[in-house]
Amino acid sequence: MIPNQWYPILEAKDVGNGKPTGVRRMGEELVLWRDLDGNLVCQGARCPHKGANLADGRMKGNTVECPYHGFRYGPDGACKAVPAMGSGARIPRSLRVPTHPVREAHGLVWLWWGEERAEAGLPDIQIAPVVADNPKAHSTTHWTRPVHYTRYIESLLEFYHVTYVHRDHWFNYIDYLFLYGTARKLGLDGKERYLAATKIVNHKLETEGQTLRYSFDHQEEADPKNSTHYVITFTFPCQVHVQTEQFEATSWLVPVDDGHTEHILRWYEYPAFKPLLRAEKLRRILPWASLYMEKWIQDVQDVRIMERQEPKISEGGVSKFIPVDELNAKYLAIRSRLIQEATAPAAGEKPGTAATQESAAQPAPAAKPASANGRRTARTGAAPASPAR
């Protein structure tokens, strides 16, 4: 994972007022809930008493209650009640859970993953204008897949795999008929045209800060008119926006841990249907249907390939890229640089000290979400952490 970034971890609507919500992100178990004023709270889910998961508990006033012994924790992370000790007991200060900075934006909950900073010192959430300012009606859903997020991101940074991965399932015939077939032949030539378009031409990569924009044409070499134009916009750490003549979608590929990724997918309305479906709720129906086709059919086909890729985690040097993979190569190069910058020794620390020599010999510990109480979150449990990637 890249430290010192905002990561979207779930949809804002998934965190309600009535009960806590549990998720696993960045290799950590988290609990999210809303206080009595509706403010979002994100905390480590492990109760420090005996390790129960607070997401399995209940809301009690302005606290989340542990399901095991009823210990209650407030928005600041401090334990507010220990029923077994009585109402007048003095509660140990060590009974507290880490509280992590979160924000709500664009319908998502964003977690700050990295070093502790004052709220005023946290950067703005990075989101490309093509997503932030997109006026189209849309639908959003999410699911978890057993692949590392770098491989998932790579699968969306290029689309010349589609000819080979998405050609045999019955659903693809819908694409052939309506997206690739010609009116002159009533769409029946769609599969032939789809399979013939294998060449990438007119590719161009632009970089602006932490946003990469890649445009290209996926066309048939013998018939350049059989072509689909793509524009892919990637914004670190994990946002991919894909726009073609046929569809427009945004993906956030969020690390659950080193073996799993949460895919938050937003699908936008089809402009051709806007004059026919005036009500916005109606215009969300087709994007919703596209989401579920993607979840249960198209994405499954991609993941089947990704599950068997080696190595499981992508980084510079593990793949033999060709020229049209320039977006993939740039992504990995910038990812590596951002990790190095975020984990570089503090100013004034000499690289030859015993501490840095020891760290060079040992795997780097997994990064932690920043704790709002000003202390680094402590890892608990007997098993050592796997290195952060």
Side-chain angles (χ1 to χ4, degrees):
M1 298 86 170
I2 306 172
N4 298 339
Q5 300 277 339
W6 286 104
Y7 286 85
I9 56 174
L10 75 170
E11 293 184 70
K13 67 180 179 61
D14 290 339
V15 186
N17 297 313
K19 61 181 181 178
T21 299
V23 297
R24 180 172 175 81
R25 299 288 185 270
M26 323 304 288
E28 300 284 340
E29 296 293 338
L30 304 172
V31 59
L32 294 100
W33 50 283
R34 295 185 185 276
D35 65 18
L36 294 178
D37 296 322
N39 299 313
L40 189 65
V41 179
C42 178
Q43 297 171 324
R46 179 188 180 275
C47 177
H49 176 222
K50 291 190 176 180
N53 194 307
L54 296 176
D56 297 329
R58 296 182 294 179
M59 302 305 306
K60 279 294 185 74
N62 217 32
T63 65
V64 60
E65 182 185 76
C66 177
Y68 203 0
H69 300 96
F71 289 31
R72 290 157 53 185
Y73 299 89
D76 63 350
C79 185
K80 307 298 184 183
V82 179
M85 294 171 60
S87 59
R90 181 177 180 180
I91 300 174
R93 291 185 179 181
S94 60
L95 280 175
R96 63 181 303 117
V97 292
T99 300
H100 309 305
V102 284
R103 291 179 182 173
E104 294 184 65
H106 310 289
L108 304 175
V109 173
W110 300 75
L111 167 73
W112 172 253
W113 177 263
E115 63 189 15
E116 286 103 17
R117 302 181 186 180
E119 176 65 28
L122 293 173
D124 292 334
I125 293 170
Q126 296 290 317
I127 187 163
V130 70
V131 177
D133 303 330
N134 199 315
K136 294 181 180 177
H138 58 261
S139 294
T140 306
T141 193
H142 54 92
W143 57 82
T144 304
R145 300 296 194 208
V147 296
H148 192 266
Y149 81 102
T150 53
R151 290 301 193 184
Y152 222 146
I153 287 174
E154 282 187 337
S155 75
L156 292 174
L157 296 187
E158 53 87 2
F159 273 76
Y160 65 92
H161 71 268
V162 300
T163 307
Y164 306 96
V165 178
H166 304 300
R167 60 183 170 185
D168 294 326
H169 196 279
W170 65 264
F171 174 77
N172 297 113
Y173 284 87
I174 299 176
D175 280 351
Y176 301 154
L177 183 65
F178 293 104
L179 299 183
Y180 297 95
T182 62
R184 181 171 54 88
K185 293 193 176 182
L186 303 177
L188 298 179
D189 57 343
K191 182 174 182 179
E192 177 185 352
R193 288 168 54 81
Y194 179 88
L195 297 179
T198 60
K199 188 176 181 180
I200 302 298
V201 297
N202 303 323
H203 49 99
K204 179 182 179 182
L205 176 62
E206 301 171 285
T207 304
E208 183 178 349
Q210 291 193 25
T211 294
L212 310 176
R213 185 176 183 272
Y214 190 54
S215 59
F216 60 90
D217 294 313
H218 192 194
Q219 74 178 210
E220 179 181 348
E221 188 169 5
D223 181 12
K225 292 182 180 180
N226 179 19
S227 177
T228 300
H229 182 68
Y230 285 82
V231 179
I232 300 178
T233 304
F234 177 79
T235 301
F236 280 91
C238 60
Q239 175 191 288
V240 184
H241 183 80
V242 180
Q243 187 171 12
T244 77
E245 299 161 3
Q246 290 89 11
F247 70 91
E248 185 174 5
T250 305
S251 291
W252 290 272
L253 293 313
V254 188
V256 172
D257 51 38
D258 272 355
H260 299 82
T261 299
E262 186 77 2
H263 187 173
I264 303 173
L265 179 59
R266 176 167 295 171
W267 205 280
Y268 299 87
E269 66 179 318
Y270 296 91
F273 290 94
K274 188 173 181 178
L276 303 175
L277 305 172
R278 297 303 181 96
E280 185 172 309
K281 287 185 178 180
L282 293 177
R283 301 207 311 271
R284 293 177 186 269
I285 293 176
L286 287 177
W288 178 86
S290 297
L291 286 176
Y292 282 88
M293 288 296 186
E294 185 70 22
K295 177 178 180 178
W296 297 113
I297 299 173
Q298 305 284 61
D299 189 69
V300 171
Q301 295 170 353
D302 286 326
V303 169
R304 190 177 296 124
I305 300 291
M306 288 185 275
E307 284 183 296
R308 295 180 60 81
Q309 282 183 284
E310 294 290 345
K312 300 300 182 184
I313 300 173
S314 185
E315 54 192 350
V318 306
S319 300
K320 304 297 183 183
F321 288 139
I322 60 176
V324 297
D325 291 318
E326 55 190 325
L327 177 56
N328 269 237
K330 191 71 171 181
Y331 158 66
L332 291 176
I334 294 179
R335 175 178 178 268
S336 177
R337 175 176 61 80
L338 291 173
I339 291 174
Q340 290 175 1
E341 290 175 352
T343 57
E349 182 179 343
K350 295 181 180 180
T353 63
T356 55
Q357 288 174 354
E358 180 181 356
S359 64
Q362 300 293 331
K368 305 291 192 295
S371 173
N373 60 19
R375 292 190 292 273
R376 179 67 65 191
T377 306
R379 180 173 291 277
T380 56
S386 60
R389 302 306 293 269

